Amino acid sequence: AQSVTQLGSHVSVSEGALVLLRCNYSSSVPPYLFWYVQYPNQGLQLLLKYTSAATLVKGINGFEAEFKKSETSFHLTKPSAHMSDAAEYFCAVSDSNDYKLSFGAGTTVTVRA
Amino acid sequence: NAGVTQTPKFQVLKTGQSMTLQCAQDMNHNSMYWYRQDPGMGLRLIYYSASEGTTDKGEVPNGYNVSRLNKREFSLRLESAAPSQTSVYFCASSLDGGNPYGYTFGSGTRLTVV
């Protein structure tokens, strides 16, 4: 069974500053890992995914994430925050043996002007 | 536009009333899912359907039933609504389970039970 822990339920950054959202997972088999973004009153949109190819994954809107097996982590970063990045972000994990995605509790990002 | 369509978008129910949330996808996906989203708890799986004709319980199935009507449609029924079922409900679909593609989500149904 998989599980996901997102460290920090709220993150506040200044416009132009680094965005770092932390995600740790547990999985008994090699995982598939995902980051989703949810804008207010909308559904979830896929930002990026790790599927056992390159460990550094680039996604939409300038986000990227690095898979570190030794740390069981999949942290999300963006070098320079924009006001439009204000949203809730979810890390999720599944594996090839399972149909289900398990989600973290989410991290809400606010961007200060 | 291709994707996952949920109806209704908003609903208010009285305790004890029943209702069905509808979900349809037009991407020829095999697997479909119902999640509920509550503050600070992320998304929790209620039921899923790995393929047409099959359904299975997820993490929080109590108080819900589902029907996989055909490959496109997967409905969620609340037989006797309770205030604890106040939540935002998301339907999602994927090409197959255990796949590396992730899910496509609908825009959600915001349900309030009073």
Side-chain angles (χ1 to χ4, degrees):
Chain A
Q2 317 97 327
S3 67
V4 176
T5 302
Q6 290 183 240
L7 298 177
S9 58
H10 290 88
V11 169
S12 180
V13 298
S14 297
E15 193 172 20
L18 171 72
V19 179
L20 170 60
L21 305 183
R22 300 180 186 274
C23 173
N24 289 89
Y25 69 92
S26 67
S27 177
S28 57
V29 296
Y32 300 133
L33 292 157
F34 307 85
W35 276 99
Y36 284 86
V37 60
Q38 184 182 31
Y39 300 103
N41 299 314
Q42 294 187 26
L44 278 72
Q45 177 184 358
L46 182 66
L47 264 182
L48 50 77
K49 59 182 183 243
Y50 167 76
T51 59
S52 75
T55 56
L56 182 62
V57 181
K58 295 188 183 297
I60 61 173
N61 301 337
F63 284 92
E64 63 182 35
E66 185 172 10
F67 172 69
K68 292 187 177 181
K69 183 178 179 180
S70 61
E71 299 178 7
T72 61
S73 68
F74 191 56
H75 301 333
L76 181 71
T77 60
K78 181 174 180 178
S80 178
H82 190 272
M83 298 299 288
S84 61
D85 295 325
E88 190 163 18
Y89 294 80
F90 293 94
C91 183
V93 63
S94 73
D95 63 59
S96 58
N97 295 332
D98 200 349
Y99 283 84
K100 304 180 291 293
L101 273 183
S102 295
F103 285 85
T107 299
T108 299
V109 173
T110 57
V111 182
R112 305 185 304 272
Chain B
N1 293 334
V4 178
T5 302
Q6 291 183 236
T7 56
K9 294 189 182 302
F10 301 93
Q11 184 71 50
V12 178
L13 289 179
K14 294 182 179 179
T15 298
Q17 286 185 319
S18 63
M19 79 162 295
T20 300
L21 281 64
Q22 306 287 352
C23 175
Q25 53 91 9
D26 59 4
M27 296 170 288
N28 202 34
H29 284 173
N30 291 309
S31 303
M32 298 185 73
Y33 312 82
W34 277 105
Y35 283 85
R36 61 178 289 173
Q37 182 181 24
D38 302 289
M41 304 188 75
L43 279 77
R44 293 180 293 167
L45 183 65
I46 305 171
Y47 272 92
Y48 68 102
S49 171
S51 61
E52 185 179 357
T54 70
T55 61
D56 285 285
K57 295 178 180 180
E59 183 183 355
V60 289
N62 291 344
Y64 305 95
N65 285 299
V66 291
S67 296
R68 184 73 183 266
L69 304 171
N70 48 56
K71 190 171 185 179
R72 290 186 63 248
E73 298 173 286
F74 188 40
S75 63
L76 178 72
R77 183 161 178 83
L78 287 71
E79 291 291 351
S80 178
S84 61
Q85 294 178 304
T86 294
S87 186
V88 181
Y89 292 85
F90 287 100
C91 177
S93 69
S94 66
L95 183 60
D96 283 299
N99 77 85
Y101 303 108
Y103 294 179
T104 301
F105 283 86
S107 58
T109 296
R110 189 173 298 273
L111 175 67
T112 302
V113 182
V114 297

